[in-house]
Amino acid sequence: MKNLKKIKSLMIIISVLTIISGCTYNYDNKTCKKKFSKSWGNDETELIKETKVISLDNVEKVNTKIIMSAGKLLIKEDSVSLLKAAFAYNNEDWKPRVRYEVIDSLGVLKILPAKIPKTDDDEEHINIKNVWDIHLSNKVPMDLSLKFGAGDGDLYLGNLLLENLDIKLGAGSVLVDLKNSRKLSELNLKMGVGETTIDLSGDISTDLDASIEGGIGQFTLILPKNIGTKVSVKRGIAKIEADDFIKKGNTYKNDVYGDTEVTLNIHIRAGIGNVDLKLE
């Protein structure tokens, strides 16, 4: 019985990934309506839409936690507010919960999933429409913890003042854009099933230690050409592509490793699939 439940849950996830389509939610409702209509046919009247804005207080740092069960996730920067978010979903039970409090000089921001509708009808799961468009402040140092279940994600985080980033992925296709990162010193990523791309190119300003655990599928890591970089790989069944790197055993270095003020040290525990290391 337990095995049957696991199989059914996996089939639901696959169905969700097949149905979910993305769009960029504009804060102009009319534009938003057009984009949703284009992505999901003519059922835009069925969507529940709401926005949430939190002003930037006099805090020294913000700890942000985002958990999304399934859907389309977009994260970008905002230069005015701590949070400016837009949500669209087609089931009241998918209404997200946003919590914010200040403890001394530390802001604590949480964006959490709604209670997932319980139903024995798989059609209810297959027809999920759930989009989060989240803009976070680029003016205050931040630690970000993200757990994303199933769907597509475009995470443009390079212009945020991230210091620590922890990501756990389920199933889907996700881009993590960390180009020109200014403060990021620690990155932890655990992949699931699907396609994941991390872009660490550009003018990285601080030393970075990254730990990446592979899942099943395609993983692409884009690295800077002019910043010393070393990638250590503990190989699973994955195929490693790293034509632009100097290989010694399970270690890959670029030409300037050891000669630059900033150094990237990346540790990968590969899973099943392909690992593609590229220079920008």
Side-chain angles (χ1 to χ4, degrees):
M1 182 65 69
K2 289 184 178 180
N3 288 335
L4 287 175
K5 288 183 178 179
K6 289 181 178 179
I7 292 171
K8 185 175 181 180
S9 297
L10 180 58
M11 291 179 68
I12 289 171
I13 291 174
I14 293 172
S15 298
V16 168
L17 289 173
T18 303
I19 296 297
I20 291 172
S21 60
C23 72
T24 301
Y25 191 109
N26 192 297
Y27 293 97
D28 174 356
N29 287 333
K30 294 182 179 178
T31 304
C32 172
K33 186 174 180 180
K34 280 185 183 177
K35 295 196 175 205
F36 281 123
S37 177
K38 182 177 180 181
S39 297
W40 291 337
N42 296 318
D43 62 348
E44 70 272 8
T45 56
E46 299 177 7
L47 293 175
I48 303 166
K49 306 169 191 175
E50 60 178 296
T51 60
K52 181 72 175 180
V53 177
I54 298 176
S55 61
L56 183 59
D57 298 320
N58 293 322
V59 294
E60 296 180 2
K61 187 174 181 178
V62 177
N63 286 345
T64 300
K65 182 176 185 179
I66 299 173
I67 301 176
M68 187 180 191
S69 301
K72 170 68 178 179
L73 175 62
L74 175 67
I75 301 179
K76 285 188 173 182
E77 63 175 312
D78 188 85
S79 60
V80 178
S81 304
L82 170 61
L83 171 71
K84 183 182 290 184
F87 307 100
Y89 45 93
N90 67 337
N91 189 317
E92 183 64 40
D93 289 337
W94 282 85
K95 179 183 177 70
R97 297 171 290 150
V98 179
R99 305 286 185 266
Y100 181 65
E101 63 178 332
V102 177
I103 303 173
D104 294 329
S105 59
L106 176 68
V108 180
L109 172 64
K110 297 180 181 180
I111 306 175
L112 305 174
K115 181 176 69 174
I116 299 176
K118 293 182 178 180
T119 175
D120 294 328
D121 185 359
D122 289 347
E123 286 296 322
E124 293 293 328
H125 293 282
I126 291 174
N127 289 324
I128 290 171
K129 297 178 179 68
N130 191 32
V131 177
W132 293 9
D133 188 347
I134 296 171
H135 293 229
L136 298 171
S137 173
N138 61 4
K139 302 296 186 182
V140 61
M142 183 177 295
D143 289 347
L144 174 59
S145 173
L146 169 65
K147 186 175 181 180
F148 186 33
D152 294 332
D154 291 314
L155 317 178
Y156 297 97
L157 308 176
N159 288 329
L160 303 181
L161 292 180
L162 291 182
E163 295 182 344
N164 297 282
L165 176 60
D166 186 271
I167 300 178
K168 293 181 181 178
L169 302 176
S173 176
V174 176
L175 166 67
V176 183
D177 189 332
L178 292 164
K179 282 186 292 192
N180 302 313
S181 180
R182 293 174 283 168
K183 294 180 71 69
L184 186 65
S185 61
E186 184 174 345
L187 167 64
N188 293 289
L189 170 68
K190 185 174 182 180
M191 292 179 286
V193 179
E195 182 177 356
T196 303
T197 299
I198 297 182
D199 191 342
L200 279 167
S201 63
D203 185 16
I204 305 296
S205 302
T206 58
D207 291 343
L208 172 65
D209 287 319
S211 176
I212 299 170
E213 184 175 340
I216 301 174
Q218 173 70 38
F219 173 54
T220 302
L221 180 59
I222 304 171
L223 296 164
K225 189 173 184 178
N226 298 319
I227 297 175
T229 301
K230 180 175 73 172
V231 182
S232 303
V233 180
K234 183 175 286 187
R235 185 187 299 246
I237 311 178
K239 178 182 178 182
I240 312 296
E241 297 284 349
D243 294 339
D244 297 327
F245 290 79
I246 301 168
K247 180 183 177 183
K248 186 176 181 180
N250 291 322
T251 300
Y252 303 82
K253 301 177 182 179
N254 62 4
D255 291 336
V256 296
Y257 179 76
D259 298 328
T260 59
E261 292 185 6
V262 175
T263 301
L264 308 186
N265 286 303
I266 299 170
H267 307 275
I268 299 176
R269 176 176 290 181
I272 301 173
N274 296 322
V275 176
D276 193 359
L277 305 180
K278 294 182 176 182
L279 291 179
E280 60 181 319

